[in-house]
Amino acid sequence: MLMKRLISITIAAISLMASFGASGEEISITTDNTKLTLWKGDDGLLTVRGYGLKRDTLNSYGGSDEQVQQFLFYPTYGDGFLGDSALQVTHADGDIATRLEVQDVKVVQDKKDKNIITTEILMKDPAQDFYVTIYLRAYQNEDVIQIWTKIENKEKGGVTLHKFASASVMNFSPSYWLTHFTGSWANEANMTEEKLTRGKKEIYSNLGSRAHRMATPMFLVSLLGPSNEDSAYMIGGTLMWPGSFSMRFDIDSTRGLRMTMGGDNRSDGYYLDKGESLETPKSLWVFSDKGKNGISQKFHKWGRKYSMRNPKKPRPVLLNNWEATGMGFDENRLVGLFEDAKGTGVDIFLLDDGWFGGKYVRNADNSSLGDWKVAEGKLPSGLGYLCKEAKARGMEFGIWLEPEMVSPKSELFEAHPEWALRSANRNYVLGRNQLVLDLTNPEVKKYVWKIFEDTLRPNPIKYVKWDANCCIYQPVSDFQPKNKKGNVDFEYNKSLLDIMKKFSKEFPDTAAMLCSGGGGRVDYASLQNFESFWASDNTDPMSRVFIQWGFGHFYPSNSMSAHVTHMGGRPMKFCADVAMSGALGFDLDISKVSPEDKEYIKKTIELYKKEIRPITSAGDYYRLKSPYEHAQSAVMFVNKGKGVVFVYQTRDDENDQTVKLKGLDPDKTYTIKEVGFYADGQKSEIKGDGQAFKGRELMENGIVVPTKKACGSSIILLSEKK
Ligand code: GLA
């Protein structure tokens, strides 16, 4: 408490240090607890005064009119601003400078949803017929501010946008600590925290598609000191965009931190013809004084309400065949897998890669993408038959698609090499032996849409895993005219989002998983059309503890598909306990597991559906012990008087076995009960198991959960005593 007070005083004191030279009026974007303060000077310039809690006097910094330019909210290149601009344009007449002055400010209350208020700031360059509207949408309850822009060219000719970020927000604190989430295939969302010093740090992707393979577009900035889970003053941000992106953090001469976010990376110049406009991707911003947990809970709440498909529908339990069979299956083998899963509680069988092909059959990853016909040699009775056979065994049927891609060894590529993004007069650069289709070409877009129509319409397919395994290595489109060659990366992703949206609308009963060689594409624009995403091809639970921990900072657990497999050779209970903290599924050959494991799988699915999923799907999420800092890690969910705690041991360590709970009412009483034992008759080693404790005691003293050895795990249910 004292610490909080001190922080408030520090922030207030910083704010008194300065005032702006120019007179004008304040434009504040507020949510229930936070405020982004902008200033419209009499000179028309729009500057930032601060971003923080409503109750603190917001920090601002300023000085002479000359300095004021350095605080522009959407800084443009070439007219006094010397830092990292958000917008850089070459105008139709060759002018390389841009100045934006506010022309109009509108505040619009959403008609259907009281929670949403949008401020629209229309700006114009006084020397050019060039306009930018900044949209700031404030979601009151969730403290989320969504910022994006519309750039309009009404000049006499085309303009080139060299930079066109979505937002550029400033904060003025004595220090900043950046947490980012990077990695690669099978190693996604590694969390790193570093102190920012003077200069610029950029987290970015140039990959075009599968764009988040090496960095996920999400960040946390802790002000005043390193982050913590519960009390640090923090900003969290993410970009609703499946494509390349840039997140820049610049401590400049103002000593403020400028945070710039956009989908404009890799554009060697986006050409906007006369009369055209461009809408930039939506960026999301959250401020919290409750540390990382505070930020996560706000994103989860917002995501579930506004940016996930069917957020309230329980995620089905899948049985996938990728780890079990790869592409080596035929009809009988698949029906055999259905048969083995009968009665286990699996909801959907998901047939993965390898089911298609015409002239070339997909038996390895070097052919057939683009030829989405059932491979008759493997599946002579077709997909309808498989749907029927699965249904007869109590399961629905789902399928893998990789609609954006083409193999050079395919009928599609032989007929239409110009439909692929590639440098036709150079050697092709392939990724996983494939190329990306040019979705900026409407004919290709139509073809890709037809894949969904042809596969899903004739068959009662209830699930799609939408994969994308290749980056755009050569962003070269035969379709785009000479002056728009640089638009490819951005336009590709706009088209992709259109197709995703159309899929979600046209096939409302087909659930979908967003996958990109694992978690290579995870963002809230895509997720509007998917029930979940595939966090990683790495299903070793020992790695998944970390990967799910990373993504969980921004995405709720029911959006994270997590499957039990044999990867890593871990005990079945550890695999299942880790998967159950996400959206549970399996990827194994059930005929090959021991009778004990099979029995355990059945019990696990039952427990998950009955006791765990209702809490994890809707509950508030708390990180209790970080796997980055402890051999024993723990997370928990609390929902309406019920809770579930997951405890995982990643290294042998007999010490450090106390888990302090969070999110409970200190004065209420809760019964704790360990569940999910591998064998019947096993007893909990948790002292106090089955007994009731005050919330205060569980939070202050914690429970001792003796997981001890690597791969030890426990699941503890909590229920409030009435
Ligand atoms: C990607 C996915 C996997 C699997 C394979 C199939 O790597 O991430 O889960 O679907 O493709 O080729």
Side-chain angles (χ1 to χ4, degrees):
M1 209 48 222
L2 180 66
M3 189 58 195
K4 277 226 160 137
R5 197 63 217 123
L6 280 176
I7 291 169
S8 277
I9 292 167
T10 315
I11 289 182
I14 296 162
S15 68
L16 293 177
M17 277 163 41
S19 62
F20 275 81
S23 57
E25 65 179 287
E26 186 177 300
I27 302 172
S28 50
I29 315 299
T30 55
T31 62
D32 282 357
N33 300 296
T34 69
K35 181 170 167 185
L36 169 63
T37 314
L38 307 181
W39 184 261
K40 179 189 145 215
D42 291 341
D43 52 7
L45 294 181
L46 183 70
T47 47
V48 204
R49 296 203 123 180
Y51 178 35
L53 290 186
K54 229 181 195 171
R55 65 159 195 256
D56 291 328
T57 312
L58 279 178
N59 47 30
S60 61
Y61 195 86
S64 66
D65 285 355
E66 186 197 339
Q67 278 176 305
V68 164
Q69 300 266 9
Q70 310 319 318
F71 301 92
L72 289 176
F73 178 59
Y74 194 63
T76 52
Y77 174 81
D79 192 66
F81 177 73
L82 300 172
D84 179 24
S85 51
L87 181 71
Q88 185 178 351
V89 187
T90 299
H91 295 277
D93 60 4
D95 180 7
I96 57 164
T98 303
R99 176 183 176 94
L100 292 177
E101 291 180 6
V102 177
Q103 290 213 315
D104 191 24
V105 180
K106 255 197 269 176
V107 179
V108 185
Q109 165 71 64
D110 191 280
K111 288 203 183 78
K112 287 195 212 123
D113 188 344
K114 274 223 248 43
N115 192 38
I116 303 176
I117 301 169
T118 308
T119 304
E120 299 178 9
I121 306 176
L122 174 65
M123 307 179 79
K124 182 186 181 304
D125 187 329
Q128 299 286 359
D129 250 348
F130 184 86
Y131 298 79
V132 173
T133 307
I134 303 179
Y135 298 88
L136 300 111
R137 179 163 291 168
Y139 293 84
Q140 303 301 304
N141 298 160
E142 299 79 14
D143 289 327
V144 168
I145 302 180
Q146 190 179 49
I147 310 175
W148 76 103
T149 59
K150 185 164 95 193
I151 302 167
E152 287 172 277
N153 173 20
K154 298 187 182 169
E155 297 179 19
K156 292 208 168 68
V159 303
T160 303
L161 310 178
H162 306 283
K163 285 177 168 184
F164 49 100
S166 300
S168 182
V169 170
M170 289 191 83
N171 182 276
F172 307 93
S173 295
S175 63
Y176 310 96
W177 299 76
L178 174 70
T179 300
H180 48 82
F181 301 83
T182 51
S184 192
W185 176 74
N187 183 23
E188 291 86 344
N190 288 288
M191 201 173 78
T192 310
E193 179 162 25
E194 61 191 271
K195 186 173 195 298
L196 291 172
T197 53
R198 179 86 186 254
K200 190 161 80 176
K201 166 96 187 173
E202 184 178 16
I203 310 297
Y204 71 95
S205 159
N206 271 337
L207 278 54
S209 71
R210 198 189 181 184
H212 310 155
R213 174 174 155 193
M214 297 189 238
T216 311
M218 49 197 205
F219 74 85
L220 300 163
V221 168
S222 178
L223 312 171
L224 309 166
S227 68
N228 60 34
E229 286 294 348
D230 302 302
S231 63
Y233 275 57
M234 294 188 67
I235 296 168
T238 183
L239 192 69
M240 299 176 68
W241 186 240
S244 301
F245 69 90
S246 167
M247 293 181 162
R248 304 190 292 275
F249 305 86
D250 188 17
I251 301 182
D252 60 14
S253 60
T254 66
R255 294 188 206 288
L257 173 67
R258 184 173 279 287
M259 295 162 281
T260 306
M261 233 205 282
D264 55 338
N265 219 38
R266 200 207 227 179
S267 172
D268 55 338
Y270 184 100
Y271 185 80
L272 204 54
D273 228 333
K274 167 171 110 178
E276 285 184 341
S277 63
L278 172 89
E279 196 168 291
T280 58
K282 295 184 168 79
S283 64
L284 298 173
W285 303 79
V286 165
F287 191 100
S288 172
D289 62 338
K290 300 199 171 51
K292 289 190 274 192
N293 251 331
I295 300 270
S296 300
Q297 288 192 5
K298 286 177 184 185
F299 273 116
H300 292 185
K301 208 167 149 198
W302 181 86
R304 280 177 178 155
K305 194 158 166 202
Y306 295 107
S307 228
M308 277 169 68
R309 192 177 186 219
N310 296 320
K312 294 202 173 125
K313 256 198 188 162
R315 275 35 186 163
V317 174
L318 300 180
L319 176 64
N320 193 193
N321 68 312
W322 178 243
E323 291 299 322
T325 66
M327 299 185 207
F329 54 80
D330 61 17
E331 198 164 274
N332 293 337
R333 175 93 164 93
L334 294 179
V335 175
L337 295 175
F338 305 164
E339 183 62 29
D340 296 326
K342 192 171 147 186
T344 53
V346 161
D347 299 306
I348 296 183
F349 182 91
L350 172 60
L351 175 59
D352 215 286
D353 195 356
W355 60 268
F356 53 91
K359 181 165 141 196
Y360 308 106
V361 175
R362 178 86 165 167
N363 286 319
D365 66 12
N366 60 1
S367 79
S368 321
L369 293 171
D371 302 341
W372 296 99
K373 299 172 266 203
V374 176
E376 283 172 4
K378 281 173 149 180
L379 307 173
S381 317
L383 297 177
Y385 166 78
L386 292 175
C387 294
K388 211 171 83 218
E389 292 300 314
K391 191 89 186 170
R393 290 160 181 86
M395 278 160 277
E396 300 290 352
F397 182 78
I399 205 156
W400 179 93
L401 286 171
E402 200 180 3
E404 302 147 71
M405 304 288 161
V406 62
S407 311
K409 195 171 152 194
S410 67
E411 288 173 61
L412 179 67
F413 190 75
E414 284 169 1
H416 287 293
E418 78 287 2
W419 279 12
L421 294 169
R422 88 255 179 265
S423 198
N425 49 2
R426 300 188 181 86
N427 288 336
Y428 302 157
V429 181
L430 307 178
R432 207 193 188 202
N433 304 309
Q434 66 200 56
L435 290 166
V436 181
L437 286 171
D438 182 2
L439 297 186
T440 74
N441 177 344
E443 236 188 307
V444 179
K445 203 170 165 186
K446 231 173 34 218
Y447 179 86
V448 168
W449 175 246
K450 213 167 158 297
I451 299 169
F452 291 94
E453 287 285 344
D454 292 351
T455 314
L456 304 182
R457 287 277 182 232
N459 306 302
I461 293 176
K462 295 290 184 217
Y463 200 93
V464 164
K465 176 178 177 185
W466 182 325
D467 209 344
N469 281 292
C470 187
C471 310
I472 301 177
Y473 290 98
Q474 294 169 317
V476 185
S477 161
D478 282 6
F479 172 76
Q480 290 295 330
K482 242 187 192 165
N483 54 7
K484 290 199 166 175
K485 295 280 185 204
N487 296 14
V488 167
D489 209 292
F490 196 83
E491 288 302 309
Y492 174 89
N493 284 288
K494 259 173 60 184
S495 266
L496 171 67
L497 284 174
D498 287 346
I499 305 173
M500 287 177 172
K501 233 184 250 166
K502 192 163 172 186
F503 157 77
S504 179
K505 190 162 157 263
E506 297 274 323
F507 296 99
D509 300 327
T510 305
M513 182 201 286
L514 177 64
C515 172
S516 187
R521 178 152 75 195
V522 184
D523 70 281
Y524 269 123
S526 304
L527 210 54
Q528 284 175 347
N529 310 298
F530 293 83
E531 272 75 4
S532 67
F533 63 90
W534 184 231
S536 182
D537 276 352
N538 187 342
T539 47
D540 178 345
M542 205 55 103
S543 310
R544 274 293 184 127
V545 166
F546 290 86
I547 293 169
Q548 292 168 201
W549 180 272
F551 281 120
H553 282 79
F554 287 76
Y555 296 97
S557 78
N558 60 338
S559 71
M560 266 188 268
S561 286
H563 293 179
V564 173
T565 74
H566 291 304
M567 203 178 279
R570 316 291 179 186
M572 188 67 87
K573 172 169 164 59
F574 186 56
C575 300
D577 283 2
V578 173
M580 276 194 279
S581 68
L584 173 72
F586 294 82
D587 191 346
L588 21 94
D589 184 343
I590 296 184
S591 71
K592 295 204 179 116
V593 302
S594 65
E596 295 79 21
D597 274 359
K598 187 164 179 187
E599 189 48 37
Y600 170 73
I601 290 173
K602 214 171 131 188
K603 277 191 320 194
T604 298
I605 296 177
E606 204 183 317
L607 171 75
Y608 173 72
K609 288 186 180 173
K610 214 165 127 207
E611 306 274 7
I612 294 174
R613 189 171 62 184
I615 307 174
T616 55
S617 302
D620 292 336
Y621 170 69
Y622 294 89
R623 284 178 294 267
L624 306 179
K625 276 175 100 173
S626 167
Y628 286 85
E629 290 159 22
H630 303 270
Q632 184 189 60
S633 70
V635 297
M636 87 179 268
F637 300 80
V638 184
N639 186 37
K640 296 186 188 141
K642 293 210 177 262
V644 57
V645 184
F646 295 89
V647 186
Y648 308 123
Q649 190 79 29
T650 51
R651 275 177 284 119
D652 292 351
D653 186 352
E654 306 247 324
N655 306 309
D656 189 18
Q657 301 284 285
T658 304
V659 179
K660 292 186 181 173
L661 308 193
K662 291 182 186 172
L664 304 177
D665 184 329
D667 298 319
K668 290 202 166 134
T669 307
Y670 299 85
T671 307
I672 61 167
K673 177 125 200 58
E674 183 170 7
V675 292
F677 298 105
Y678 182 76
D680 289 342
Q682 270 181 331
K683 292 229 160 51
S684 175
E685 288 173 28
I686 298 170
K687 219 169 109 201
D689 183 63
Q691 295 172 23
F693 300 90
K694 281 272 183 238
R696 175 173 293 104
E697 211 174 320
L698 295 170
M699 293 194 289
E700 285 175 8
N701 302 339
I703 347 177
V704 177
V705 187
T707 46
K708 290 181 188 169
K709 294 254 176 282
C711 297
S713 61
S714 285
I715 299 181
I716 301 144
L717 289 177
L718 275 96
S719 55
E720 188 187 307
K721 272 187 111 180
K722 299 282 175 212

